[in-house]
Amino acid sequence: MLQVNLENYKMNLKFWEAAWQRVTKAVYTPPNLEYIKNIIPDLKKYPITKILDLACGSGWLSFMLAKAGFKVRGVDTSEAAINLAKKGNAEIEVREQCLDVEFYCADILDMQLTEKDFDCVIMNACLEHFDLASAAQLLANLKKHLKPQAYIYGVFDVVATSNKGEFICFDDGTRQYLDPMRKGMYLRNYSDEDLTRLFTEAGFKQLSYTTVDNGSRVLILERSLHSVQ
Ligand SMILES: C[S@@+](CC[C@H](N)C(=O)[O-])C[C@H]1O[C@@H](n2cnc3c(N)ncnc32)[C@H](O)[C@@H]1O
């Protein structure tokens, strides 16, 4: 039996910092994928104005949302990623329009944001980098940043299905890679059942569940009224 511990978790965070430090040219524009094009129209169906972009990386999703008129705050553990996002924002502000977007460096498991008035949380390729217990903790903690009526928009990729690479596997199914380029990185494949259970237990009600071309699951969830504390 191999259980995740704090040292493993810290190695994962170290991996991300090192990975982002290697990036010399950040991506600030959205990938040309059908399901990405659906995000803005999907969000506009709901009364949403302010969005928290979890694990925002260098910020392409935050910029896409801010350009569509949402107020956006992006959070990522990597200082290098956040610096790239801030640099991108400076460039975008000068080139195009002044966006209502800000970036913070923090571990999203332990966010101390002063802003607690988000009506949506978006997570793209985020939960897959958390072990199961941490994912449950993350979702439970989210509520303190949300308005009573709030939504989650999540994209969950199918990952870690091949045995390529060197890794250890914890008993909750999370892998931690050991090969040089990914040393320390966590990857866990969340099944449909895992996602349904995690969000239900955290007090979010599923509004839609779509599987897109590449197998990723796109979920829209609403904070259940009975879970308001
Ligand atoms: C696969 S990237 C996805 C980035 C972005 N959401 C996107 O769609 O391009 C995963 C991101 O999660 C961030 N991350 C991993 N663990 C984190 C944590 N505990 N707190 C905040 N960010 C984290 C990494 O730094 C990285 O930017």
Side-chain angles (χ1 to χ4, degrees):
M1 298 291 270
L2 191 55
Q3 295 199 342
V4 178
N5 66 32
L6 191 59
E7 278 316 301
N8 299 118
Y9 185 74
K10 284 186 186 161
M11 270 174 70
N12 171 54
L13 296 187
K14 256 174 95 174
F15 159 78
W16 285 109
E17 187 55 35
W20 279 111
Q21 278 179 9
R22 287 194 295 269
V23 174
T24 46
K25 200 165 166 14
V27 175
Y28 297 125
T29 49
N32 188 20
L33 297 169
E34 219 38 53
Y35 75 91
I36 300 287
K37 292 182 195 142
N38 290 335
I39 294 178
I40 302 289
D42 280 350
L43 291 172
K44 295 230 163 170
K45 291 179 195 154
Y46 302 98
I48 292 171
T49 54
K50 188 166 175 182
I51 304 178
L52 178 59
D53 180 7
L54 288 185
C56 63
S58 58
W60 66 263
L61 180 55
S62 295
F63 295 130
M64 182 181 95
L65 297 168
K67 283 182 189 176
F70 296 104
K71 294 177 186 197
V72 187
R73 305 293 177 256
V75 184
D76 200 281
T77 177
S78 162
E79 211 176 330
I82 291 299
N83 286 339
L84 289 167
K86 286 181 175 170
K87 188 165 161 253
N89 192 28
E91 288 169 13
I92 285 163
E93 277 184 12
V94 173
R95 274 203 320 261
E96 298 177 26
Q97 64 202 89
C98 191
L99 305 175
D100 191 343
V101 59
E102 285 176 32
F103 294 101
Y104 304 115
C105 181
D107 178 348
I108 54 176
L109 262 194
D110 184 30
M111 275 183 304
Q112 307 293 337
L113 298 184
T114 51
E115 294 167 274
K116 309 215 180 292
D117 56 348
F118 292 95
D119 38 39
C120 180
V121 168
I122 196 159
M123 49 177 93
N124 184 57
C126 164
L127 214 64
E128 300 88 319
H129 301 293
F130 285 83
D131 59 271
L132 189 59
S134 301
Q137 187 189 330
L138 169 64
L139 298 183
N141 286 350
L142 276 184
K143 276 181 269 179
K144 67 178 182 222
H145 299 289
L146 297 177
K147 283 185 179 168
Q149 183 173 14
Y151 301 86
I152 293 184
Y153 194 102
V155 182
F156 308 93
D157 298 332
V158 175
V159 292
T161 49
S162 98
N163 277 333
K164 275 195 201 137
E166 223 188 306
F167 56 85
I168 49 173
C169 190
F170 299 105
D171 49 6
D172 73 341
T174 307
R175 292 178 178 187
Q176 186 158 42
Y177 282 87
L178 305 172
D179 40 79
M181 283 309 280
R182 296 182 289 184
K183 193 170 170 34
M185 185 179 80
Y186 273 6
L187 210 50
R188 186 180 189 282
N189 193 44
Y190 282 85
S191 66
D192 293 352
E193 294 73 26
D194 288 336
L195 294 172
T196 301
R197 188 174 39 76
L198 275 172
F199 284 106
T200 306
E201 284 176 4
F204 293 93
K205 190 176 86 185
Q206 212 168 280
L207 299 180
S208 91
Y209 195 119
T210 316
T211 302
V212 295
D213 284 353
N214 64 0
S216 297
R217 282 70 44 83
V218 179
L219 269 70
I220 306 176
L221 304 115
E222 182 180 31
R223 185 177 186 177
S224 303
L225 283 180
H226 70 257
S227 75
V228 174
Q229 285 147 18

PDB file of all heavy atoms in Angstrom, residues 9 12-13 16-17 20 53-58 60-61 75-78 81 106-109 123-126 129-130, ligand 1:
ATOM      1  N   TYR A   9       3.378  15.504  -2.388  1.00  0.00           N
ATOM      2  CA  TYR A   9       2.615  16.662  -2.855  1.00  0.00           C
ATOM      3  C   TYR A   9       3.560  17.829  -3.166  1.00  0.00           C
ATOM      4  O   TYR A   9       3.419  18.501  -4.200  1.00  0.00           O
ATOM      5  CB  TYR A   9       1.570  17.053  -1.790  1.00  0.00           C
ATOM      6  CG  TYR A   9       0.660  18.154  -2.246  1.00  0.00           C
ATOM      7  CD1 TYR A   9      -0.351  17.896  -3.179  1.00  0.00           C
ATOM      8  CD2 TYR A   9       0.810  19.460  -1.782  1.00  0.00           C
ATOM      9  CE1 TYR A   9      -1.183  18.918  -3.628  1.00  0.00           C
ATOM     10  CE2 TYR A   9      -0.015  20.478  -2.219  1.00  0.00           C
ATOM     11  CZ  TYR A   9      -1.015  20.201  -3.140  1.00  0.00           C
ATOM     12  OH  TYR A   9      -1.828  21.212  -3.584  1.00  0.00           O
ATOM     13  N   ASN A  12       5.323  17.436  -6.408  1.00  0.00           N
ATOM     14  CA  ASN A  12       4.443  17.777  -7.530  1.00  0.00           C
ATOM     15  C   ASN A  12       4.459  19.297  -7.764  1.00  0.00           C
ATOM     16  O   ASN A  12       4.597  19.765  -8.898  1.00  0.00           O
ATOM     17  CB  ASN A  12       3.023  17.263  -7.219  1.00  0.00           C
ATOM     18  CG  ASN A  12       1.985  17.756  -8.200  1.00  0.00           C
ATOM     19  OD1 ASN A  12       2.127  17.585  -9.401  1.00  0.00           O
ATOM     20  ND2 ASN A  12       0.942  18.382  -7.698  1.00  0.00           N
ATOM     21  N   LEU A  13       4.383  20.064  -6.675  1.00  0.00           N
ATOM     22  CA  LEU A  13       4.419  21.529  -6.831  1.00  0.00           C
ATOM     23  C   LEU A  13       5.766  21.977  -7.408  1.00  0.00           C
ATOM     24  O   LEU A  13       5.824  22.879  -8.244  1.00  0.00           O
ATOM     25  CB  LEU A  13       4.150  22.222  -5.487  1.00  0.00           C
ATOM     26  CG  LEU A  13       2.765  21.994  -4.862  1.00  0.00           C
ATOM     27  CD1 LEU A  13       2.594  22.879  -3.635  1.00  0.00           C
ATOM     28  CD2 LEU A  13       1.625  22.253  -5.843  1.00  0.00           C
ATOM     29  N   TRP A  16       5.903  21.609 -11.113  1.00  0.00           N
ATOM     30  CA  TRP A  16       5.221  22.649 -11.901  1.00  0.00           C
ATOM     31  C   TRP A  16       6.054  23.923 -11.989  1.00  0.00           C
ATOM     32  O   TRP A  16       6.124  24.556 -13.042  1.00  0.00           O
ATOM     33  CB  TRP A  16       3.825  22.938 -11.316  1.00  0.00           C
ATOM     34  CG  TRP A  16       2.888  21.836 -11.673  1.00  0.00           C
ATOM     35  CD1 TRP A  16       2.372  20.895 -10.838  1.00  0.00           C
ATOM     36  CD2 TRP A  16       2.411  21.508 -12.987  1.00  0.00           C
ATOM     37  NE1 TRP A  16       1.594  20.011 -11.548  1.00  0.00           N
ATOM     38  CE2 TRP A  16       1.600  20.366 -12.866  1.00  0.00           C
ATOM     39  CE3 TRP A  16       2.589  22.067 -14.257  1.00  0.00           C
ATOM     40  CZ2 TRP A  16       0.966  19.770 -13.955  1.00  0.00           C
ATOM     41  CZ3 TRP A  16       1.965  21.476 -15.343  1.00  0.00           C
ATOM     42  CH2 TRP A  16       1.165  20.351 -15.185  1.00  0.00           C
ATOM     43  N   GLU A  17       6.698  24.269 -10.880  1.00  0.00           N
ATOM     44  CA  GLU A  17       7.525  25.482 -10.921  1.00  0.00           C
ATOM     45  C   GLU A  17       8.654  25.300 -11.943  1.00  0.00           C
ATOM     46  O   GLU A  17       8.905  26.164 -12.781  1.00  0.00           O
ATOM     47  CB  GLU A  17       8.070  25.787  -9.517  1.00  0.00           C
ATOM     48  CG  GLU A  17       8.807  27.111  -9.414  1.00  0.00           C
ATOM     49  CD  GLU A  17       7.975  28.304  -9.881  1.00  0.00           C
ATOM     50  OE1 GLU A  17       6.748  28.311  -9.682  1.00  0.00           O
ATOM     51  OE2 GLU A  17       8.559  29.226 -10.497  1.00  0.00           O
ATOM     52  N   TRP A  20       7.318  25.411 -15.558  1.00  0.00           N
ATOM     53  CA  TRP A  20       6.988  26.755 -16.039  1.00  0.00           C
ATOM     54  C   TRP A  20       8.236  27.616 -16.210  1.00  0.00           C
ATOM     55  O   TRP A  20       8.277  28.495 -17.071  1.00  0.00           O
ATOM     56  CB  TRP A  20       5.959  27.423 -15.104  1.00  0.00           C
ATOM     57  CG  TRP A  20       4.562  26.973 -15.396  1.00  0.00           C
ATOM     58  CD1 TRP A  20       3.771  26.185 -14.608  1.00  0.00           C
ATOM     59  CD2 TRP A  20       3.784  27.270 -16.565  1.00  0.00           C
ATOM     60  NE1 TRP A  20       2.557  25.974 -15.210  1.00  0.00           N
ATOM     61  CE2 TRP A  20       2.531  26.635 -16.404  1.00  0.00           C
ATOM     62  CE3 TRP A  20       4.014  28.011 -17.729  1.00  0.00           C
ATOM     63  CZ2 TRP A  20       1.524  26.717 -17.374  1.00  0.00           C
ATOM     64  CZ3 TRP A  20       3.005  28.091 -18.688  1.00  0.00           C
ATOM     65  CH2 TRP A  20       1.785  27.450 -18.503  1.00  0.00           C
ATOM     66  N   ASP A  53     -10.422  31.306 -12.207  1.00  0.00           N
ATOM     67  CA  ASP A  53      -9.792  30.320 -13.099  1.00  0.00           C
ATOM     68  C   ASP A  53      -8.734  29.568 -12.285  1.00  0.00           C
ATOM     69  O   ASP A  53      -7.662  30.107 -11.994  1.00  0.00           O
ATOM     70  CB  ASP A  53      -9.173  31.070 -14.298  1.00  0.00           C
ATOM     71  CG  ASP A  53      -8.487  30.143 -15.296  1.00  0.00           C
ATOM     72  OD1 ASP A  53      -8.591  28.910 -15.156  1.00  0.00           O
ATOM     73  OD2 ASP A  53      -7.839  30.672 -16.228  1.00  0.00           O
ATOM     74  N   LEU A  54      -9.063  28.335 -11.927  1.00  0.00           N
ATOM     75  CA  LEU A  54      -8.168  27.553 -11.069  1.00  0.00           C
ATOM     76  C   LEU A  54      -7.056  26.925 -11.878  1.00  0.00           C
ATOM     77  O   LEU A  54      -7.315  26.316 -12.915  1.00  0.00           O
ATOM     78  CB  LEU A  54      -8.949  26.427 -10.386  1.00  0.00           C
ATOM     79  CG  LEU A  54      -9.920  26.791  -9.275  1.00  0.00           C
ATOM     80  CD1 LEU A  54     -10.493  25.517  -8.667  1.00  0.00           C
ATOM     81  CD2 LEU A  54      -9.276  27.645  -8.205  1.00  0.00           C
ATOM     82  N   ALA A  55      -5.824  27.022 -11.374  1.00  0.00           N
ATOM     83  CA  ALA A  55      -4.653  26.464 -12.049  1.00  0.00           C
ATOM     84  C   ALA A  55      -4.571  27.049 -13.462  1.00  0.00           C
ATOM     85  O   ALA A  55      -4.571  26.333 -14.461  1.00  0.00           O
ATOM     86  CB  ALA A  55      -4.699  24.938 -12.066  1.00  0.00           C
ATOM     87  N   CYS A  56      -4.483  28.377 -13.500  1.00  0.00           N
ATOM     88  CA  CYS A  56      -4.635  29.129 -14.758  1.00  0.00           C
ATOM     89  C   CYS A  56      -3.425  29.060 -15.667  1.00  0.00           C
ATOM     90  O   CYS A  56      -3.493  29.493 -16.816  1.00  0.00           O
ATOM     91  CB  CYS A  56      -4.968  30.583 -14.451  1.00  0.00           C
ATOM     92  SG  CYS A  56      -3.632  31.403 -13.535  1.00  0.00           S
ATOM     93  N   GLY A  57      -2.281  28.545 -15.164  1.00  0.00           N
ATOM     94  CA  GLY A  57      -1.079  28.532 -15.998  1.00  0.00           C
ATOM     95  C   GLY A  57      -0.728  29.943 -16.430  1.00  0.00           C
ATOM     96  O   GLY A  57      -0.831  30.901 -15.649  1.00  0.00           O
ATOM     97  N   SER A  58      -0.355  30.102 -17.704  1.00  0.00           N
ATOM     98  CA  SER A  58       0.030  31.443 -18.171  1.00  0.00           C
ATOM     99  C   SER A  58      -1.184  32.258 -18.625  1.00  0.00           C
ATOM    100  O   SER A  58      -1.030  33.344 -19.162  1.00  0.00           O
ATOM    101  CB  SER A  58       1.081  31.341 -19.280  1.00  0.00           C
ATOM    102  OG  SER A  58       0.575  30.579 -20.340  1.00  0.00           O
ATOM    103  N   TRP A  60      -4.169  31.720 -20.720  1.00  0.00           N
ATOM    104  CA  TRP A  60      -4.944  31.869 -21.965  1.00  0.00           C
ATOM    105  C   TRP A  60      -6.451  31.826 -21.704  1.00  0.00           C
ATOM    106  O   TRP A  60      -7.209  32.579 -22.330  1.00  0.00           O
ATOM    107  CB  TRP A  60      -4.541  30.813 -23.015  1.00  0.00           C
ATOM    108  CG  TRP A  60      -4.875  29.394 -22.643  1.00  0.00           C
ATOM    109  CD1 TRP A  60      -4.023  28.494 -22.081  1.00  0.00           C
ATOM    110  CD2 TRP A  60      -6.127  28.720 -22.795  1.00  0.00           C
ATOM    111  NE1 TRP A  60      -4.680  27.303 -21.858  1.00  0.00           N
ATOM    112  CE2 TRP A  60      -5.967  27.414 -22.288  1.00  0.00           C
ATOM    113  CE3 TRP A  60      -7.380  29.080 -23.306  1.00  0.00           C
ATOM    114  CZ2 TRP A  60      -7.003  26.476 -22.279  1.00  0.00           C
ATOM    115  CZ3 TRP A  60      -8.418  28.151 -23.296  1.00  0.00           C
ATOM    116  CH2 TRP A  60      -8.220  26.869 -22.778  1.00  0.00           C
ATOM    117  N   LEU A  61      -6.885  30.975 -20.788  1.00  0.00           N
ATOM    118  CA  LEU A  61      -8.326  30.847 -20.535  1.00  0.00           C
ATOM    119  C   LEU A  61      -8.857  32.098 -19.819  1.00  0.00           C
ATOM    120  O   LEU A  61      -9.933  32.607 -20.164  1.00  0.00           O
ATOM    121  CB  LEU A  61      -8.574  29.577 -19.709  1.00  0.00           C
ATOM    122  CG  LEU A  61     -10.014  29.258 -19.330  1.00  0.00           C
ATOM    123  CD1 LEU A  61     -10.929  29.192 -20.551  1.00  0.00           C
ATOM    124  CD2 LEU A  61     -10.080  27.912 -18.575  1.00  0.00           C
ATOM    125  N   VAL A  75      -5.538  31.824 -10.673  1.00  0.00           N
ATOM    126  CA  VAL A  75      -4.633  31.411  -9.591  1.00  0.00           C
ATOM    127  C   VAL A  75      -3.841  30.195 -10.040  1.00  0.00           C
ATOM    128  O   VAL A  75      -4.417  29.252 -10.606  1.00  0.00           O
ATOM    129  CB  VAL A  75      -5.416  31.041  -8.307  1.00  0.00           C
ATOM    130  CG1 VAL A  75      -4.449  30.723  -7.170  1.00  0.00           C
ATOM    131  CG2 VAL A  75      -6.350  32.148  -7.897  1.00  0.00           C
ATOM    132  N   ASP A  76      -2.555  30.225  -9.759  1.00  0.00           N
ATOM    133  CA  ASP A  76      -1.719  29.069 -10.073  1.00  0.00           C
ATOM    134  C   ASP A  76      -0.611  28.981  -9.021  1.00  0.00           C
ATOM    135  O   ASP A  76      -0.164  29.992  -8.489  1.00  0.00           O
ATOM    136  CB  ASP A  76      -1.096  29.208 -11.475  1.00  0.00           C
ATOM    137  CG  ASP A  76      -0.630  27.876 -12.031  1.00  0.00           C
ATOM    138  OD1 ASP A  76       0.461  27.415 -11.621  1.00  0.00           O
ATOM    139  OD2 ASP A  76      -1.352  27.270 -12.855  1.00  0.00           O
ATOM    140  N   THR A  77      -0.168  27.760  -8.764  1.00  0.00           N
ATOM    141  CA  THR A  77       0.905  27.557  -7.781  1.00  0.00           C
ATOM    142  C   THR A  77       2.251  28.082  -8.266  1.00  0.00           C
ATOM    143  O   THR A  77       3.118  28.428  -7.470  1.00  0.00           O
ATOM    144  CB  THR A  77       1.077  26.053  -7.462  1.00  0.00           C
ATOM    145  OG1 THR A  77       2.157  25.902  -6.571  1.00  0.00           O
ATOM    146  CG2 THR A  77       1.358  25.216  -8.695  1.00  0.00           C
ATOM    147  N   SER A  78       2.432  28.155  -9.570  1.00  0.00           N
ATOM    148  CA  SER A  78       3.757  28.477 -10.100  1.00  0.00           C
ATOM    149  C   SER A  78       3.950  29.983 -10.265  1.00  0.00           C
ATOM    150  O   SER A  78       3.204  30.646 -10.997  1.00  0.00           O
ATOM    151  CB  SER A  78       3.946  27.771 -11.450  1.00  0.00           C
ATOM    152  OG  SER A  78       4.998  28.390 -12.149  1.00  0.00           O
ATOM    153  N   ALA A  81       4.637  30.788 -13.856  1.00  0.00           N
ATOM    154  CA  ALA A  81       3.416  30.846 -14.686  1.00  0.00           C
ATOM    155  C   ALA A  81       2.689  32.170 -14.465  1.00  0.00           C
ATOM    156  O   ALA A  81       2.251  32.824 -15.427  1.00  0.00           O
ATOM    157  CB  ALA A  81       2.497  29.671 -14.339  1.00  0.00           C
ATOM    158  N   ALA A 106      -0.744  31.033  -5.845  1.00  0.00           N
ATOM    159  CA  ALA A 106      -1.140  30.317  -4.616  1.00  0.00           C
ATOM    160  C   ALA A 106      -1.396  28.858  -4.941  1.00  0.00           C
ATOM    161  O   ALA A 106      -1.750  28.514  -6.071  1.00  0.00           O
ATOM    162  CB  ALA A 106      -2.413  30.924  -4.030  1.00  0.00           C
ATOM    163  N   ASP A 107      -1.211  28.041  -3.917  1.00  0.00           N
ATOM    164  CA  ASP A 107      -1.639  26.653  -4.010  1.00  0.00           C
ATOM    165  C   ASP A 107      -3.155  26.671  -3.862  1.00  0.00           C
ATOM    166  O   ASP A 107      -3.670  27.156  -2.844  1.00  0.00           O
ATOM    167  CB  ASP A 107      -0.981  25.868  -2.864  1.00  0.00           C
ATOM    168  CG  ASP A 107      -1.392  24.415  -2.843  1.00  0.00           C
ATOM    169  OD1 ASP A 107      -2.341  24.044  -3.556  1.00  0.00           O
ATOM    170  OD2 ASP A 107      -0.762  23.646  -2.093  1.00  0.00           O
ATOM    171  N   ILE A 108      -3.867  26.174  -4.830  1.00  0.00           N
ATOM    172  CA  ILE A 108      -5.328  26.295  -4.773  1.00  0.00           C
ATOM    173  C   ILE A 108      -5.951  25.427  -3.676  1.00  0.00           C
ATOM    174  O   ILE A 108      -7.129  25.569  -3.375  1.00  0.00           O
ATOM    175  CB  ILE A 108      -6.018  26.028  -6.143  1.00  0.00           C
ATOM    176  CG1 ILE A 108      -5.613  24.674  -6.725  1.00  0.00           C
ATOM    177  CG2 ILE A 108      -5.716  27.159  -7.108  1.00  0.00           C
ATOM    178  CD1 ILE A 108      -6.351  24.344  -8.008  1.00  0.00           C
ATOM    179  N   LEU A 109      -5.149  24.562  -3.077  1.00  0.00           N
ATOM    180  CA  LEU A 109      -5.655  23.804  -1.921  1.00  0.00           C
ATOM    181  C   LEU A 109      -5.712  24.690  -0.692  1.00  0.00           C
ATOM    182  O   LEU A 109      -6.352  24.350   0.282  1.00  0.00           O
ATOM    183  CB  LEU A 109      -4.709  22.638  -1.606  1.00  0.00           C
ATOM    184  CG  LEU A 109      -5.046  21.280  -2.125  1.00  0.00           C
ATOM    185  CD1 LEU A 109      -4.173  20.243  -1.421  1.00  0.00           C
ATOM    186  CD2 LEU A 109      -6.506  20.944  -1.912  1.00  0.00           C
ATOM    187  N   MET A 123     -12.287  25.213 -14.219  1.00  0.00           N
ATOM    188  CA  MET A 123     -11.058  24.408 -14.075  1.00  0.00           C
ATOM    189  C   MET A 123     -10.858  23.584 -15.334  1.00  0.00           C
ATOM    190  O   MET A 123     -11.716  22.794 -15.712  1.00  0.00           O
ATOM    191  CB  MET A 123     -11.117  23.535 -12.823  1.00  0.00           C
ATOM    192  CG  MET A 123     -12.346  22.727 -12.629  1.00  0.00           C
ATOM    193  SD  MET A 123     -12.231  21.687 -11.151  1.00  0.00           S
ATOM    194  CE  MET A 123     -12.984  22.720  -9.948  1.00  0.00           C
ATOM    195  N   ASN A 124      -9.761  23.844 -16.009  1.00  0.00           N
ATOM    196  CA  ASN A 124      -9.438  23.118 -17.236  1.00  0.00           C
ATOM    197  C   ASN A 124      -8.104  22.416 -17.026  1.00  0.00           C
ATOM    198  O   ASN A 124      -7.098  23.069 -16.726  1.00  0.00           O
ATOM    199  CB  ASN A 124      -9.329  24.105 -18.412  1.00  0.00           C
ATOM    200  CG  ASN A 124      -9.081  23.395 -19.729  1.00  0.00           C
ATOM    201  OD1 ASN A 124      -9.854  22.539 -20.136  1.00  0.00           O
ATOM    202  ND2 ASN A 124      -7.987  23.733 -20.391  1.00  0.00           N
ATOM    203  N   ALA A 125      -8.096  21.092 -17.146  1.00  0.00           N
ATOM    204  CA  ALA A 125      -6.859  20.321 -16.941  1.00  0.00           C
ATOM    205  C   ALA A 125      -6.233  20.632 -15.591  1.00  0.00           C
ATOM    206  O   ALA A 125      -5.037  20.929 -15.497  1.00  0.00           O
ATOM    207  CB  ALA A 125      -5.868  20.587 -18.075  1.00  0.00           C
ATOM    208  N   CYS A 126      -7.051  20.598 -14.568  1.00  0.00           N
ATOM    209  CA  CYS A 126      -6.594  20.984 -13.226  1.00  0.00           C
ATOM    210  C   CYS A 126      -6.701  19.818 -12.245  1.00  0.00           C
ATOM    211  O   CYS A 126      -5.701  19.387 -11.664  1.00  0.00           O
ATOM    212  CB  CYS A 126      -7.454  22.168 -12.777  1.00  0.00           C
ATOM    213  SG  CYS A 126      -7.395  22.544 -11.036  1.00  0.00           S
ATOM    214  N   HIS A 129      -4.346  16.789 -11.736  1.00  0.00           N
ATOM    215  CA  HIS A 129      -3.039  16.918 -11.094  1.00  0.00           C
ATOM    216  C   HIS A 129      -3.145  16.906  -9.570  1.00  0.00           C
ATOM    217  O   HIS A 129      -2.254  17.392  -8.870  1.00  0.00           O
ATOM    218  CB  HIS A 129      -2.331  18.178 -11.606  1.00  0.00           C
ATOM    219  CG  HIS A 129      -2.144  18.140 -13.096  1.00  0.00           C
ATOM    220  ND1 HIS A 129      -1.302  17.231 -13.701  1.00  0.00           N
ATOM    221  CD2 HIS A 129      -2.728  18.837 -14.096  1.00  0.00           C
ATOM    222  CE1 HIS A 129      -1.367  17.395 -15.018  1.00  0.00           C
ATOM    223  NE2 HIS A 129      -2.233  18.358 -15.279  1.00  0.00           N
ATOM    224  N   PHE A 130      -4.261  16.364  -9.096  1.00  0.00           N
ATOM    225  CA  PHE A 130      -4.469  16.234  -7.652  1.00  0.00           C
ATOM    226  C   PHE A 130      -4.797  14.786  -7.308  1.00  0.00           C
ATOM    227  O   PHE A 130      -5.499  14.107  -8.075  1.00  0.00           O
ATOM    228  CB  PHE A 130      -5.639  17.123  -7.195  1.00  0.00           C
ATOM    229  CG  PHE A 130      -5.267  18.575  -7.152  1.00  0.00           C
ATOM    230  CD1 PHE A 130      -5.317  19.335  -8.309  1.00  0.00           C
ATOM    231  CD2 PHE A 130      -4.845  19.161  -5.975  1.00  0.00           C
ATOM    232  CE1 PHE A 130      -4.938  20.674  -8.283  1.00  0.00           C
ATOM    233  CE2 PHE A 130      -4.474  20.495  -5.945  1.00  0.00           C
ATOM    234  CZ  PHE A 130      -4.521  21.250  -7.094  1.00  0.00           C
TER     235      PHE A 130
HETATM  236  C1  LIG B   1      -2.001  21.067 -17.345  1.00  0.00           C
HETATM  237  S1  LIG B   1      -1.733  22.648 -16.681  1.00  0.00           S
HETATM  238  C2  LIG B   1      -3.263  23.453 -17.120  1.00  0.00           C
HETATM  239  C3  LIG B   1      -3.132  24.948 -17.137  1.00  0.00           C
HETATM  240  C4  LIG B   1      -4.376  25.687 -17.645  1.00  0.00           C
HETATM  241  N1  LIG B   1      -5.522  25.455 -16.793  1.00  0.00           N
HETATM  242  C5  LIG B   1      -4.697  25.293 -19.069  1.00  0.00           C
HETATM  243  O1  LIG B   1      -5.795  24.821 -19.319  1.00  0.00           O
HETATM  244  O2  LIG B   1      -3.829  25.478 -19.932  1.00  0.00           O
HETATM  245  C6  LIG B   1      -1.952  22.387 -14.943  1.00  0.00           C
HETATM  246  C7  LIG B   1      -1.713  23.629 -14.113  1.00  0.00           C
HETATM  247  O3  LIG B   1      -2.008  23.343 -12.749  1.00  0.00           O
HETATM  248  C8  LIG B   1      -1.139  24.096 -11.939  1.00  0.00           C
HETATM  249  N2  LIG B   1      -1.182  23.493 -10.605  1.00  0.00           N
HETATM  250  C9  LIG B   1      -0.844  22.217 -10.279  1.00  0.00           C
HETATM  251  N3  LIG B   1      -1.049  22.025  -8.962  1.00  0.00           N
HETATM  252  C10 LIG B   1      -1.522  23.199  -8.452  1.00  0.00           C
HETATM  253  C11 LIG B   1      -1.899  23.635  -7.147  1.00  0.00           C
HETATM  254  N4  LIG B   1      -1.841  22.829  -6.089  1.00  0.00           N
HETATM  255  N5  LIG B   1      -2.332  24.915  -6.988  1.00  0.00           N
HETATM  256  C12 LIG B   1      -2.398  25.763  -8.059  1.00  0.00           C
HETATM  257  N6  LIG B   1      -2.045  25.398  -9.315  1.00  0.00           N
HETATM  258  C13 LIG B   1      -1.617  24.131  -9.508  1.00  0.00           C
HETATM  259  C14 LIG B   1       0.186  23.999 -12.681  1.00  0.00           C
HETATM  260  O4  LIG B   1       1.134  24.968 -12.311  1.00  0.00           O
HETATM  261  C15 LIG B   1      -0.283  24.135 -14.126  1.00  0.00           C
HETATM  262  O5  LIG B   1      -0.260  25.473 -14.540  1.00  0.00           O
END
